[in-house]
Amino acid sequence: MEQFAIKGGNPLVGEVEIGGAKNAALAILAAAIMTDETVLIENMPDVRDTNVLIQAMESIGVIVKRLDRHTVKINASNIHDVVIEDDFIKKIRASYYLLGALLGKYKKAEVSLPGGCNIGLRPIDQHIKGFRALGADVRIEHGMIITDAEHLKGSHVYLDVVSVGATINVMMAAAMAEGKTTIENAAKEPHVVDLANFLNSMGADIKGAGTDVIRIRGVSKLHGSEYAIIPDQIEAGTFMFAAAVTKGDVTVKNVIPKHLESISAKLLEIGCEIEESDDAVRVVASKPLGHTHVKTLPYPGFPTDMQPQIAVTLGLSMGTSIVTESIFENRFKYVDELTRMGASIKVEGNTAIIDGVKKYTGASITAPDLRAGAALVIAGLAAEGITVVDDIKFIQRGYEDFHLKLKALGAQIEMVNTEKELQKFKLKVG
Ligand code: UD1
């Protein structure tokens, strides 16, 4: 089984190139099947989640050609099925974006009901509410969500919770409905805006993405397009906190600094220096870090996908910090692992009370999910001694070449497959 072996203690120093946003890529890949013409997508991250979604698309007849590692050409003129099997949904929840895309294009779709992702209950009632408002019939039978409509008709959709997934799914279906749809209380995340821009580049008529009211005038046909995906806000943020926790000096390049504002603000608050330019942000942690309070919120608030990374950093900062998770109810699973490394964290409901300690010590730990896995790796980079992180398949879902990028910044980290390779690493790092 693949693991990351880490010898902590080196400050991360240098520049790191950030890839395309995984969460935008998932929505854009699904939307690309909504036209019979060819679509070219650039800045596609080469991570497990996008690759599984591509396989799900290929399973129904979509032709996907990789022109290079980060460019794909998609042609969906020969789709022969609107049923997405359970295997894909089990591996990647966002396969359910094919529901909105297929419903919009063919007025029918069947996708296996997604399970959880280890971070708590993840209902899809708002997606279903949106599809129904557009006139679709939605049933759950034999573990599948089955939806069809004679015609999709534009409508007024009020989302009871701010949901990225529901906003994206409803936006796709409404893009090809008859007439006008308004989505109120829509999610404002950068990837929602990126999807709207992509759909507009295919001939859709979507206004207001990035605000909480999105207005969509349906069109009967979408056309081919060439589009580059925005940089990954969460990958960038992860490297920014890795710089902070290792007392390093890292410039994240190819980013949109505006998307990183909540992250930069918290780093500034705890004593890092931040330098922004047009497409880069530099984080310098030259003095001891201080404590803060943070609550995860929908964009532009502090992202839930950055919660474990900030907690790992606050665990080594002076004083008591409070982290409140307001999006997912079960997102503190990594705390037990971090405690094994010496952290002092008490979780009460959706709040973690963190008493900063002087050091973490390396341990054998397990990645419980994607972002917590990345956070535990950065804890290992700051820890004394050797940390071995198991279940790195979770991390590979969303980070391309994570260990190689860290290595280029001076980290001592290897991917190891066997006990022998682990021993070799231990001998090498001394
Ligand atoms: C997306 C992101 C994920 C991120 C999350 C919040 C992708 C592929 N995933 O997940 O990385 O952590 O946004 O920024 O982009 N909810 C309902 N009913 C619904 C839908 C959601 O109650 O029908 C609730 C959820 O349980 C959660 C909250 O709404 O409490 C937000 O979830 P949502 O924004 O939908 O998250 P995802 O789209 O699943």
Side-chain angles (χ1 to χ4, degrees):
M1 191 172 51
E2 286 175 341
Q3 299 172 315
F4 283 142
I6 303 160
K7 165 88 185 288
N10 285 12
L12 297 190
V13 177
E15 296 180 345
V16 58
E17 198 77 35
I18 299 306
K22 175 198 73 113
N23 285 348
L26 293 170
I28 286 171
L29 277 170
I33 70 159
M34 295 180 73
T35 174
D36 283 344
E37 295 178 19
T38 299
V39 171
L40 184 92
I41 306 172
E42 294 172 341
N43 209 25
M44 174 66 63
D46 181 14
V47 292
R48 199 161 283 181
D49 272 12
T50 50
N51 292 333
V52 173
L53 182 57
I54 287 172
Q55 285 166 18
M57 289 158 54
E58 287 173 333
S59 77
I60 55 168
V62 179
I63 295 170
V64 184
K65 277 198 189 132
R66 214 174 258 279
L67 303 189
D68 60 40
R69 191 170 181 198
H70 299 127
T71 310
V72 291
K73 209 175 188 178
I74 295 171
N75 187 287
S77 56
N78 284 316
I79 288 183
H80 51 68
D81 203 348
V82 292
V83 182
I84 304 293
E85 295 298 342
D86 195 35
D87 278 1
F88 300 109
I89 294 288
K90 270 198 192 126
K91 286 188 194 144
I92 171 214
R93 197 184 148 77
S95 308
Y96 67 8
Y97 286 157
L98 292 169
L99 263 181
L102 290 167
L103 180 64
K105 188 179 182 192
Y106 298 110
K107 313 298 173 237
K108 55 183 179 183
E110 285 186 34
V111 174
S112 179
L113 193 64
C117 165
N118 262 348
I119 56 175
L121 271 180
R122 296 179 81 170
I124 55 155
D125 55 306
Q126 300 303 308
H127 304 237
I128 293 175
K129 176 180 173 179
F131 294 152
R132 285 191 176 137
L134 297 176
D137 182 42
V138 187
R139 323 180 281 289
I140 295 177
E141 285 171 9
H142 309 295
M144 303 290 282
I145 314 165
I146 304 169
T147 178
D148 48 37
E150 290 257 315
H151 303 284
L152 286 179
K153 272 188 87 66
S155 175
H156 191 95
V157 181
Y158 173 79
L159 298 178
D160 299 305
V161 289
V162 180
S163 161
V164 171
T167 305
I168 284 175
N169 244 335
V170 176
M171 197 198 304
M172 286 194 285
M176 294 190 79
E178 288 164 26
K180 243 177 86 178
T181 297
T182 310
I183 307 177
E184 280 195 66
N185 202 26
K188 297 182 278 212
E189 267 66 4
H191 42 294
V192 171
V193 179
D194 210 31
L195 172 66
N197 288 340
F198 172 63
L199 284 166
N200 284 342
S201 79
M202 295 167 79
D205 182 353
I206 302 173
K207 295 195 173 84
T211 74
D212 44 24
V213 183
I214 301 180
R215 292 175 209 284
I216 303 157
R217 208 175 275 278
V219 296
S220 58
K221 219 172 155 206
L222 294 170
H223 55 69
S225 165
E226 291 187 7
Y227 194 80
I229 294 170
I230 52 165
D232 198 305
Q233 171 206 20
I234 305 300
E235 186 194 14
T238 303
F239 281 99
M240 290 164 73
F241 277 103
V245 79
T246 61
K247 309 279 181 288
D249 176 352
V250 172
T251 303
V252 290
K253 293 180 71 178
N254 180 36
V255 297
I256 298 173
K258 173 111 193 96
H259 295 166
L260 301 171
E261 268 172 2
S262 62
I263 296 163
S264 299
K266 284 292 154 191
L267 285 165
L268 266 174
E269 260 176 50
I270 61 172
C272 294
E273 292 151 56
I274 303 283
E275 263 174 42
E276 275 182 22
S277 57
D278 283 353
D279 63 353
V281 177
R282 180 178 175 198
V283 179
V284 185
S286 53
K287 39 182 198 271
L289 301 179
H291 57 101
T292 190
H293 294 348
V294 62
K295 182 175 181 182
T296 61
L297 288 168
Y299 189 84
F302 191 86
T304 174
D305 286 355
M306 289 300 305
Q307 184 259 99
Q309 299 88 319
I310 193 170
V312 159
T313 308
L314 295 174
L316 284 183
S317 303
M318 287 181 305
T320 302
S321 298
I322 296 179
V323 176
T324 306
E325 172 57 57
S326 80
I327 311 287
F328 294 112
E329 76 274 13
N330 195 9
R331 224 175 175 172
F332 286 123
K333 278 199 172 164
Y334 62 91
V335 166
D336 286 345
E337 302 296 279
L338 203 56
T339 305
R340 300 183 63 234
M341 299 178 74
S344 172
I345 305 181
K346 204 167 137 209
V347 176
E348 281 175 8
N350 68 342
T351 301
I353 302 146
I354 305 175
D355 280 321
V357 293
K358 285 218 161 59
K359 64 173 187 189
Y360 292 150
T361 48
S364 278
I365 51 177
T366 301
D369 61 65
L370 163 60
R371 304 303 173 185
L376 290 173
V377 169
I378 67 175
L381 297 174
E384 193 179 277
I386 290 183
T387 296
V388 180
V389 184
D390 256 344
D391 270 356
I392 62 169
K393 59 176 190 293
F394 286 117
I395 302 171
Q396 292 163 336
R397 284 186 39 210
Y399 292 88
E400 181 179 312
D401 296 341
F402 193 40
H403 66 297
L404 298 180
K405 290 185 181 184
L406 290 167
K407 223 171 150 166
L409 293 170
Q412 298 195 79
I413 179 169
E414 295 283 349
M415 195 193 294
V416 295
N417 252 315
T418 57
E419 187 54 36
K420 205 168 153 196
E421 284 177 13
L422 179 59
Q423 291 312 328
K424 212 169 126 194
F425 173 79
K426 286 183 177 168
L427 277 175
K428 194 171 104 187
V429 296

